[in-house]
Amino acid sequence: DMPEDLTSGRYRGTISVSADGQPTTSIPVVFDVQPDVIEAHGDDDIWRLSRLRWLNSTLALDGGLVAPYTPVEVNGETLSILGRDIELGDDGFPRAIRSHFAIEMTRFSDSPRELLASPIRFVVEDYDGRPLQLHASGVRVTSHNEGAVSWSATSTDGAVSLALNGRLEFDGTMEFQVTLSTEQHTELNDVRFDVPLASDVARYLLGLGTPGDAIPDIMQWEWDEVHNQEGPWIGDVNAGLQILLRDDHYIRPLNTNYYLEQPLHLPESWYNDGRGGIRLERTEDAYEVVAFSGARSLSPGEPLRFDVRLTVTPFHTIDPQAQFTTRFWHRYSPLSEIKEAGASVVNVHHATDINPYINYPFFVPDATKAYVEAAHADSMRVKLYYTVRELTTRAPELFMLQSLGDEVFSSGSGGGQIWLQEHLGGDYIPGWYAREVDDPAVVTSGVSRWHNFYVEGLDWLARNTGIDGIYIDDVAFDRTTMQRVRRVLDRRRPNPLIDLHSANQFNPRDGFANSAALYLEHLPYIDRLWFGEYFDYDRGPAYWLTEVSGIPFGLMGEMLEGGGNPWRGMVFGMTARMPWSADVDNRSLWRFWDEIGLANREMIGYWVPDRPVQASHPDVLATTYLGPGSAVVSLASWAEEPVEVPLVIDWTAIGLSPENAVIEAAPIEGFQEGRTFTVGDSIPVEPGQGWLLTIRSR
């Protein structure tokens, strides 16, 4: 950039280039500076390549809050964020964690739920297996602003010392950098991180090589590079904790089909040449999560970093009203068609007229803007497919990015579409190929300056086209980038939306990762989930709750694979997405929602102990949508055979009298036939199906 107040004219100079053992070379340079200033640094004209300066952008890297989060508060040893409190011990680790989210997940509770049975401990055992008596210095707050608080603490026993640096951010993520060192050679039997969870909180498990399900009473897990696993999420609907184990050499792996090309770098401290792992065990007083590293030697001048990330869930309450009124249309279509269907948000993929090439939606901004403005005029919103996992070879910056080696483009064995082989040599990973627009793409690396470009690009789109958000197809960037993305959209657009799709990562190619656990660090900034391709909707309710619905994290979602299961979906407030699933048509269901006022009802999920309507069968679940004068009950069966299910109704809770009530199933095309039941009737439910029933006065 030339300074804008620079006098126009011809400027001459030289650039001298030198290298060790080589003579200096001088290159003459002439600049003809014109009197006019180029608008927007030239960024509005792709051919100028001025956007390359975006590679060094720090836009939105400022720690500012985003909705709905509140500032981090510090009151003595207690740290408070939205819906959660963390109380620190003298050693700097949490001695108590409390959740203020009500079990319904639609509100906060006056009675907080304690996640821990006793304080978290970092244990160092001597050669004989005796825990060192590490004397803690107490916590010292080192920095505090609205978005984060940092602290430090040290603990010592003789020659061995433990230095902790901790940080809590407004979304509930805690980072601990723990440095273990010694002043003399020391043999250790083990180094452990002990998390004693409250037994009632430890209901479900995500991660460690298991699909989301009820947590086992005992389990042991070992590190393996072919598994994209660093620790578990354990919890209940309104209280949970993710525990990730890392070190100071962490590099974000690739994901979604490319994991084995750049897998997890096993943390030297926790892995310890295969001696480390995690034990889970339910005891009389707690559910013990023990991360162990095994026996090792500790030498002076060779400290070890045992890094831990703890993330406290949920992030915020769920919003059924937004879920039932914000209806996605997942295809670039005429706006009249979208409006007629009853949708209010359109997701525009790449390989379309206004977004032709993957992850570079800058080629036709005028057409994009016109479509967006037409949508806004009809009370609809527009989001674009835009992420960083791969990049179109149409990007004008392609060869400059290639010149950076493996900083932006991942190293690989080459191959793929012939254009890539002819132009990029052999050190790359071929990405998506959109045949309809002849668009081969190349895979980007895990974290790079390309993410700075991406954030600036999103800001440019929001300012110049008016898009209302983005659709992310699996997240290939880190948590910091996601925070910047959210800030940019919140600062540029009213009520922006980010929705995340994931194909099921639980397979050998993707390292047997659970999508919800893999992307949990991003979920505080997402508005809706779409989990997704290859998810198994025939699995049990615990899988639906943890792997698919998003509810334990403060989100709601939609279904994809095979169109999902509409009856089971409604138990979690979900449908499939039109018109992506060809056999799905939500229009009749959406009309019923509007007629019954579902968006303005209180959602009381089947997981709430004192829910007003229960199905008296263990394999049939009932979620109630409670409103004045009536209750809508979503029933869904996981039974293997047809069942007859009496309803257990708390008539006081729903405000009706059984003597003057009727149970109706309104006709909903593709969902159910119309039918009326008498109070006390058993409701017939077919395997894998269900009902939407309205209980009202006669």
Side-chain angles (χ1 to χ4, degrees):
D1 281 350
M2 297 294 180
E4 292 190 6
D5 59 355
L6 187 67
T7 302
S8 61
R10 175 161 291 187
Y11 290 76
R12 299 180 184 274
T14 59
I15 296 176
S16 295
V17 182
S18 60
D20 291 345
Q22 300 293 326
T24 298
T25 299
S26 294
I27 304 168
V29 178
V30 178
F31 290 109
D32 283 323
V33 179
Q34 303 299 316
D36 297 326
V37 175
I38 299 174
E39 187 174 352
H41 302 268
D43 296 345
D44 294 347
D45 300 314
I46 291 179
W47 60 268
R48 294 185 187 274
L49 297 175
S50 67
R51 298 179 184 189
L52 282 166
R53 67 190 180 85
W54 290 355
L55 291 173
N56 293 328
S57 171
T58 58
L59 179 65
L61 194 60
D62 52 33
L65 296 178
V66 297
Y69 299 103
T70 55
V72 178
E73 297 180 2
V74 179
N75 185 10
E77 294 80 25
T78 300
L79 316 176
S80 298
I81 55 175
L82 180 70
R84 291 148 290 173
D85 298 323
I86 295 93
E87 187 178 325
L88 299 177
D90 288 343
D91 58 0
F93 290 107
R95 66 186 178 200
I97 302 175
R98 291 179 288 273
S99 168
H100 294 268
F101 291 92
I103 190 65
E104 292 87 349
M105 277 299 297
T106 55
R107 60 182 178 86
F108 297 104
S109 171
D110 294 331
S111 301
R113 190 171 187 183
E114 179 60 66
L115 273 71
L116 301 180
S118 57
I120 291 174
R121 297 189 306 148
F122 200 96
V123 180
V124 182
E125 290 183 350
D126 66 15
Y127 180 76
D128 296 318
R130 293 187 296 265
L132 299 184
Q133 300 302 306
L134 294 165
H135 299 285
S137 65
V139 171
R140 182 173 68 90
V141 173
T142 55
S143 69
H144 178 211
N145 54 50
E146 68 172 9
V149 59
S150 299
W151 64 93
S152 64
T154 58
S155 303
T156 58
D157 183 353
V160 177
S161 66
L162 202 69
L164 175 146
N165 289 305
R167 176 180 172 86
L168 168 68
E169 294 194 34
F170 61 84
D171 62 4
T173 301
M174 285 181 281
E175 303 272 7
F176 297 92
Q177 297 177 355
V178 184
T179 303
L180 180 64
S181 60
T182 185
E183 296 176 356
Q184 64 186 37
H185 185 83
T186 305
E187 294 293 329
L188 300 176
N189 179 63
D190 199 5
V191 179
R192 301 197 312 269
F193 187 66
D194 293 353
V195 183
L197 289 167
S199 290
D200 66 302
V201 168
R203 293 192 62 191
Y204 303 105
L205 170 66
L206 263 179
L208 304 187
T210 61
D213 207 342
I215 197 166
D217 286 336
I218 190 168
M219 176 182 173
Q220 181 144 321
W221 170 88
E222 297 177 352
W223 292 94
D224 190 336
E225 189 182 54
V226 301
H227 294 161
N228 192 7
Q229 300 160 15
E230 307 170 271
W233 173 85
I234 297 172
D236 198 358
V237 178
N238 64 332
L241 192 66
Q242 186 183 48
I243 305 166
L244 300 183
L245 307 174
R246 295 175 176 174
D247 67 5
D248 49 335
H249 303 295
Y250 175 78
I251 298 176
R252 181 179 172 83
L254 297 182
N255 64 333
T256 316
N257 305 334
Y258 308 115
Y259 171 71
L260 296 177
E261 300 275 359
Q262 183 179 302
L264 185 69
H265 288 207
L266 302 184
E268 178 184 343
S269 54
W270 291 111
Y271 172 58
N272 194 17
D273 293 326
R275 300 180 187 91
I278 298 175
R279 288 192 302 272
L280 308 179
E281 184 175 4
R282 191 177 298 279
T283 66
E284 184 177 349
D285 302 319
Y287 193 92
E288 300 285 351
V289 182
V290 180
F292 59 91
S293 68
R296 69 186 336 131
S297 299
L298 192 64
S299 300
E302 298 178 5
L304 283 172
R305 271 272 295 275
F306 292 83
D307 289 4
V308 179
R309 173 185 283 181
L310 299 180
T311 304
V312 187
T313 63
F315 300 112
H316 47 67
T317 56
I318 62 173
D319 188 352
Q321 183 177 53
Q323 176 76 1
F324 296 129
T325 56
T326 309
R327 301 169 186 174
F328 283 32
W329 180 272
H330 202 88
R331 181 177 295 167
Y332 174 61
S333 302
L335 293 171
S336 58
E337 179 183 353
I338 300 168
K339 185 76 170 181
E340 187 278 330
S344 57
V345 179
V346 55
N347 279 354
V348 180
H349 261 260
H350 60 96
T352 56
D353 291 348
I354 66 171
N355 190 13
Y357 304 118
I358 193 167
N359 295 331
Y360 202 91
F362 308 113
F363 287 103
V364 288
D366 291 343
T368 305
K369 182 179 181 180
Y371 187 81
V372 170
E373 289 180 344
H376 290 172
D378 216 357
S379 301
M380 290 184 283
R381 290 183 278 179
V382 179
K383 297 165 51 260
L384 294 185
Y385 182 115
Y386 180 38
T387 182
V388 301
R389 185 181 62 207
E390 53 224 323
L391 178 65
T392 172
T393 51
R394 308 279 184 139
E397 297 87 357
L398 179 73
F399 293 108
M400 283 133 282
L401 300 176
Q402 188 191 27
S403 75
L404 299 175
D406 61 359
E407 180 189 349
V408 172
F409 296 139
S410 290
S411 292
S413 55
Q417 203 268 348
I418 191 63
W419 192 97
L420 300 173
Q421 299 182 49
E422 291 177 340
H423 292 82
L424 297 184
D427 188 17
Y428 63 88
I429 302 173
W432 183 264
Y433 175 52
R435 296 180 182 276
E436 55 269 53
V437 289
D438 189 22
D439 182 27
V442 61
V443 174
T444 59
S445 60
V447 176
S448 75
R449 286 186 297 157
W450 185 246
H451 296 177
N452 298 331
F453 190 106
Y454 173 70
V455 172
E456 284 277 3
L458 182 59
D459 184 72
W460 189 92
L461 287 166
R463 287 185 289 109
N464 288 278
T465 70
I467 62 167
D468 301 290
I470 52 174
Y471 162 72
I472 301 176
D473 186 8
D474 280 294
V475 190
F477 48 78
D478 63 354
R479 172 174 170 271
T480 300
T481 303
M482 178 61 82
Q483 290 177 323
R484 298 170 69 187
V485 164
R486 186 82 248 182
R487 290 187 188 111
V488 162
L489 286 173
D490 281 1
R491 293 168 185 177
R492 293 295 186 187
R493 302 295 305 141
N495 303 314
L497 295 171
I498 303 174
D499 69 304
L500 168 63
H501 161 259
S502 179
N504 193 352
Q505 309 281 294
F506 199 82
N507 59 71
R509 186 171 54 183
D510 298 317
F512 292 100
N514 311 79
S515 293
L518 181 64
Y519 300 133
L520 190 131
E521 65 177 353
H522 303 90
L523 299 189
Y525 309 100
I526 301 295
D527 295 286
R528 186 170 299 186
L529 299 178
W530 198 21
F531 290 173
E533 286 167 291
Y534 315 124
F535 279 82
D536 185 0
Y537 298 134
D538 290 329
R539 297 186 72 97
Y543 176 87
W544 279 75
L545 182 66
T546 58
E547 292 264 20
V548 179
S549 77
I551 289 172
F553 314 112
L555 291 167
M556 298 183 75
E558 290 170 306
M559 304 172 290
L560 192 158
E561 185 68 26
N565 181 303
W567 303 279
R568 292 175 178 174
M570 274 305 303
V571 169
F572 300 92
M574 300 191 298
T575 66
R577 190 170 288 188
M578 292 176 63
W580 195 259
S581 300
D583 55 347
V584 170
D585 188 338
N586 294 328
R587 285 175 290 189
S588 292
L589 184 59
W590 286 347
R591 281 195 293 270
F592 172 76
W593 290 1
D594 293 338
E595 291 165 1
I596 206 69
L598 199 71
N600 296 316
R601 292 173 175 267
E602 179 187 2
M603 180 178 178
I604 306 173
Y606 73 87
W607 57 85
V608 178
D610 58 349
R611 54 198 181 275
V613 180
Q614 301 185 39
S616 56
H617 190 287
D619 296 322
V620 178
L621 303 183
T623 288
T624 303
Y625 298 92
L626 189 60
S630 67
V632 176
V633 181
S634 172
L635 286 182
S637 176
W638 276 262
E640 295 182 356
E641 65 285 323
V643 293
E644 299 280 335
V645 183
L647 299 181
V648 179
I649 302 172
D650 183 339
W651 293 100
T652 301
I654 66 173
L656 294 173
S657 168
E659 292 79 15
N660 192 38
V662 65
I663 302 173
E664 289 182 337
I668 303 173
E669 186 177 351
F671 191 94
Q672 65 188 22
E673 295 182 354
R675 188 167 174 180
T676 300
F677 300 95
T678 301
V679 171
D681 284 353
S682 292
I683 309 298
V685 187
E686 293 295 314
Q689 296 187 24
W691 297 90
L692 272 174
L693 304 173
T694 302
I695 307 174
R696 62 171 181 81
S697 295
R698 291 182 183 277

